[in-house]
Amino acid sequence: MDEIRGRVRNKSLHSKIVAAEEAAAVIRPGMNIGASGFTLAGYPKAVPLALAERIRREKFRINLWTGASVGKELDAALAEVNGIARRMPYQTSDGLRKAINSGKVEYADIHLSHMAQMAAAGFLGGKVDVAIVEACAITEDGHIVPTTSVGNSASYVQDADIVIVEINTTQPVELEGMHDIFLNQPAPNRLPIPIVKANDRIGTAYIPCGLDKITYIVPCNIPDAVRELAAIDENYRAMTAHLIEFLKFEIRAGRLPKNLLPLQSGVGSVANAVVAGLVDSDFEDLTVYTEVIQDGMFDLIDAGKLTFASGTSLTPSPAGIKRFYDNLAAYRQKILFRPQDISNSPEVIRRLGVIAMNTAIEFDIFGHVNSTHIAGSKIMNGIGGSGDFARNAYLTFFFTTSVAKGDKISSIVPMCSHVDHTEHDVDIFVTERGVADVRGLSPKERAKVIIDKCAHPAYQPLLRDYLERAEKSTGYAHTPHMLDEALSWHSRFLKNGRML
Amino acid sequence: MDEIRGRVRNKSLHSKIVAAEEAAAVIRPGMNIGASGFTLAGYPKAVPLALAERIRREKFRINLWTGASVGKELDAALAEVNGIARRMPYQTSDGLRKAINSGKVEYADIHLSHMAQMAAAGFLGGKVDVAIVEACAITEDGHIVPTTSVGNSASYVQDADIVIVEINTTQPVELEGMHDIFLNQPAPNRLPIPIVKANDRIGTAYIPCGLDKITYIVPCNIPDAVRELAAIDENYRAMTAHLIEFLKFEIRAGRLPKNLLPLQSGVGSVANAVVAGLVDSDFEDLTVYTEVIQDGMFDLIDAGKLTFASGTSLTPSPAGIKRFYDNLAAYRQKILFRPQDISNSPEVIRRLGVIAMNTAIEFDIFGHVNSTHIAGSKIMNGIGGSGDFARNAYLTFFFTTSVAKGDKISSIVPMCSHVDHTEHDVDIFVTERGVADVRGLSPKERAKVIIDKCAHPAYQPLLRDYLERAEKSTGYAHTPHMLDEALSWHSRFLKNGRML
């Protein structure tokens, strides 16, 4: 308790320190709860667990709004007691995914940069009622110092009538100073976001709140539920090698500066492997303007190749979080966390000329990308920030292995079973087989390059056959498709467990 | 000739005035030609016609890059002689469309805000070789005063080695002062675009060029080939009425300011009808931040309801262009033309909080939009600027009539045959039947609202039947689809000429 009191720097707030159960009791059925958290980082834990217990007894539901995905103490715990009626804007929880794909939870899968604006405008079914935010400290003036993510916390705190702050004593107070909180005016009074370099500071080191606005303060000692990343296998290594070769070619051709442009990489193992792979390259003075800071970026910083990384959250492995905490004094000079409508801002991404690297579930021969659905119907996670970056980047890459589940699934298909990024949005496709650069190409040209460079040999003849017959049957139309057959690969997979 | 000399204000340039044939002779096979023009406005005419004549004799092909669509003297004339190898980023020409849909022209359908950046970066197959720009005058310092559109002209002039200026004497010199040309630095040195209101001027009244950079000056006296808009029928009136009722509801609910936010409306009859319909509403102090200024906006200005309109081109009817020229002194106070990467800038659109209103070919029950293709394969026009606005707007509307070709085609289908705007991008769908507000809804909820509010009664039972069976067969998955049936409506239309 002394440690909590030390972190709540204004003594007048000490009377607001309560147990999680007391804070959770303020939540009423049907409320919109705006929580901190972006990936398995910086999300509240104690109050959600207490809320789940209360819901188990009292049987009611709330709407859960977050930054992005959150850990098991929030999504899984509330889904398990059927406590979530509506969820936005992103999730990666096994339990919640099952509930969404069986009609038990309504899920709106929203571009991460849009969420705060839409919530504040009252577009999502009322405004946020309760903000629950993890913090490492509360300042003398009652402002909130976040932990390992910022997400939408600043916006939710601003909009909510009730603010609950979880002081997490497993998060070091030395995180203070690693955040840059900028809240724009609402339209039509918005001003330019004055970031012109990844390391520009434009806001405050805390979430503006104030002594009066804090309703409850809750102690918490549960660490972020960080997860292991998949091992970097030979497919990941091949994709990274292709990427690096391609970037070098672009530099030689005068189309990219020698130290590249600010890098973004999506969440997950492929993206992390690609970033880690840059360690062995001879690129220098790199910068990162992204959502999530993963283990690979620590490698780049340690190798002296990455001068600065801007994101909205830390998404390390268990070993990575230890490494981060152990070397906080060094990393805090090189890493900054921003609100997700700034980290993912179309304005800033386009201005800086970000190189966007994200992972696809599948893409089709004409260049559309599916990031969210398995065989059209079942959602996996959601679009996350991939659309914010892909649409506005200087160069947009999508990565995937050419086949999945052995070779039962081809990740390159005649037509995507769900489209999240259109043919207009993507420049370069990368699989372990190679790189398809489709900039300025027509759909039929794209198809030939994507099949030749990216598809698996087991599927190349089938894809070529589809394309040729579609060309002939449509008289060489702009995007030749045979609609009776376009989705038959997915149908076959659903029936027989394999696309072949 | 005297009039031309008067418009070319520096006498040292008079020796560069040549006939169109002489200027066209500088173009070599395979060159990238960057032309002015955005819709049937401000595109070069004399040099393209001379080039088409030369190609008819000499049989070669060039790559044509423009602002957006252009008139018949450019696209149709060159397509007729098979003179276009590759076309970007948008077109609306009957002849060219046929060539694209029969494999004779490679067409890359690119977001209009992306084109200048991609061309300048050398991403589209080399840089622009020759810029051909229509002007109403050339200043004493050799800078170019555009006519009825800006498009990508400033960027093409900056990038090209050879610059041909067509002085069009049918375009009044009084257009001077109606343009605001801002060219940002390339990444990573880009700065914020300092527009915070639709009428902010941030650049020069001319396209920077200089005396030395102009290669040839060609006289032209062919007017813009403006086109009649479709008459405003009862369907258009119904959509407008729905829109206005919806906007008023949003104002009453406190979600929009009383004078709305800056309006964007796509090119074409539906959009024009919607804007014209605002004349009879009681909205005041409206502003417009859009691509094209159409007849409807003159009505709004004349009614004293529109205080300012920012665009990149004028796209009037024959009567509209006469009205514009006749009242130029008044309209020039209220209208400004910007480069299309500024008119369509994600940064500015998001900052201002634009209300985006665009037309769909079809949309599906889950909220995806097809703006470009007929039954999956044949392209109609292209995405144009609809993606720039839809993705970044404060509120994104798509309009279409619920059925087409009598009732042979339902514009609301189980699954779009091509996706240009995803479920993540659209807030509100409008047909003559009603308004479907899908903000914050899950796909299954969206489907119910879209079918109920927007679909035609002849198709509603079929859509409900598809949804119910898909829900059951997928166990109420997030986006329930039956892949064997999802595109069957389009297949049936291709085989039998009707979806039913």
Side-chain angles (χ1 to χ4, degrees), chain A residues 86 88 99-111 113-115 117-118 120-125 184 186-197 250 254-257 260-262 341 344-347 349-353 368 372-373 375-379 382-383 387-388 390-395 415-425 427 437 439-446 474-484 486-488 490-491 494-495, chain B residues 86 88 99-111 113-115 117-118 121-125 184 186-197 250 254-257 260-262 341 344-353 368 372-373 375-379 382-383 387-388 390-395 415-425 427 437 439-446 474-484 486-488 490-491 494-495:
Chain A
R86 190 176 294 280
M88 313 176 198
I100 291 167
N101 280 321
S102 57
K104 296 195 183 96
V105 173
E106 305 300 339
Y107 175 46
D109 174 15
I110 297 174
H111 294 296
S113 80
H114 289 192
M115 182 66 196
Q117 166 179 308
M118 293 188 80
F123 287 178
L124 301 175
N184 215 327
N189 300 314
R190 282 208 201 100
L191 295 174
I193 301 166
I195 295 173
V196 297
K197 295 191 306 295
E250 290 297 295
R255 290 189 289 263
L256 277 179
L260 302 174
L261 287 163
D341 54 338
N344 288 28
S345 158
E347 168 176 343
I349 293 164
R350 176 118 179 209
R351 183 183 303 143
L352 298 186
H368 301 262
T372 58
H373 283 66
S377 299
K378 294 203 176 181
I379 195 155
I383 192 166
D388 295 323
R391 172 68 66 87
N392 296 295
Y394 195 77
L395 266 181
M415 180 187 263
C416 279
S417 60
H418 188 273
V419 175
D420 298 288
H421 311 286
T422 73
E423 55 162 333
H424 317 285
D425 295 345
D427 299 313
D437 175 3
R439 290 173 290 176
L441 300 187
S442 71
K444 290 191 288 282
E445 292 176 318
R446 276 181 229 145
T474 63
Y476 295 82
H478 183 58
T479 306
H481 263 306
M482 298 177 291
L483 296 183
D484 290 339
L487 298 172
S488 64
H490 301 88
S491 288
L494 288 174
K495 274 165 210 146
Chain B
R86 189 176 294 281
M88 309 175 202
I100 291 167
N101 279 320
S102 57
K104 296 194 183 95
V105 173
E106 305 300 340
Y107 175 45
D109 174 15
I110 296 174
H111 294 296
S113 81
H114 289 190
M115 182 68 196
Q117 167 179 308
M118 294 188 78
F123 287 177
L124 301 175
N184 216 329
N189 299 314
R190 283 209 199 99
L191 295 174
I193 301 166
I195 295 173
V196 296
K197 294 190 307 296
E250 290 297 295
R255 289 189 289 264
L256 277 178
L260 301 175
L261 286 162
D341 55 338
N344 289 28
S345 159
E347 168 176 344
V348 181
I349 293 164
R350 176 118 179 210
R351 183 182 304 143
L352 299 186
H368 301 263
T372 58
H373 283 66
S377 298
K378 294 204 174 178
I379 195 157
I383 192 166
D388 295 322
R391 172 67 68 87
N392 297 294
Y394 195 76
L395 266 181
M415 179 187 263
C416 278
S417 60
H418 188 275
V419 175
D420 297 287
H421 312 286
T422 74
E423 54 162 333
H424 317 284
D425 295 346
D427 298 313
D437 175 2
R439 289 174 291 177
L441 300 187
S442 72
K444 291 192 287 285
E445 292 175 318
R446 276 181 230 144
T474 63
Y476 296 81
H478 183 59
T479 307
H481 263 306
M482 298 176 291
L483 296 183
D484 290 339
L487 298 172
S488 64
H490 301 88
S491 288
L494 289 174
K495 275 165 210 146

Side-chain angles (χ1 to χ4, degrees), chain A residues 188, chain B residues 197-198 259-264 286-289 352-356:
Chain B
K197 294 190 307 296
N259 70 334
L260 301 175
L261 286 162
L263 303 170
Q264 176 262 344
L286 299 171
T287 57
V288 160
Y289 196 86
L352 299 186
V354 168
I355 296 175

Side-chain angles (χ1 to χ4, degrees), chain A residues 254-321:
Chain A
R255 290 189 289 263
L256 277 179
K258 237 184 108 178
N259 70 335
L260 302 174
L261 287 163
L263 303 171
Q264 175 262 343
S265 63
V267 184
S269 301
V270 176
N272 190 55
V274 164
V275 170
L278 291 169
V279 173
D280 301 321
S281 73
D282 44 15
F283 294 115
E284 289 182 355
D285 294 325
L286 298 172
T287 56
V288 160
Y289 196 86
T290 192
E291 291 177 345
V292 295
I293 313 291
Q294 293 188 274
D295 290 20
M297 293 182 197
F298 301 145
D299 297 334
L300 273 180
I301 290 174
D302 292 353
K305 301 196 167 186
L306 177 58
T307 61
F308 203 85
S310 163
T312 190
S313 93
L314 191 73
T315 311
S317 68
I321 187 88

Side-chain angles (χ1 to χ4, degrees), chain B residues 49 59 65 82 110 161 184 339 370 379 430 489 494:
Chain B
L49 287 173
K59 311 246 177 286
W65 303 355
N82 192 25
I110 296 174
D161 294 324
N184 216 329
N370 172 11
I379 195 157
V430 184
W489 294 34
L494 289 174

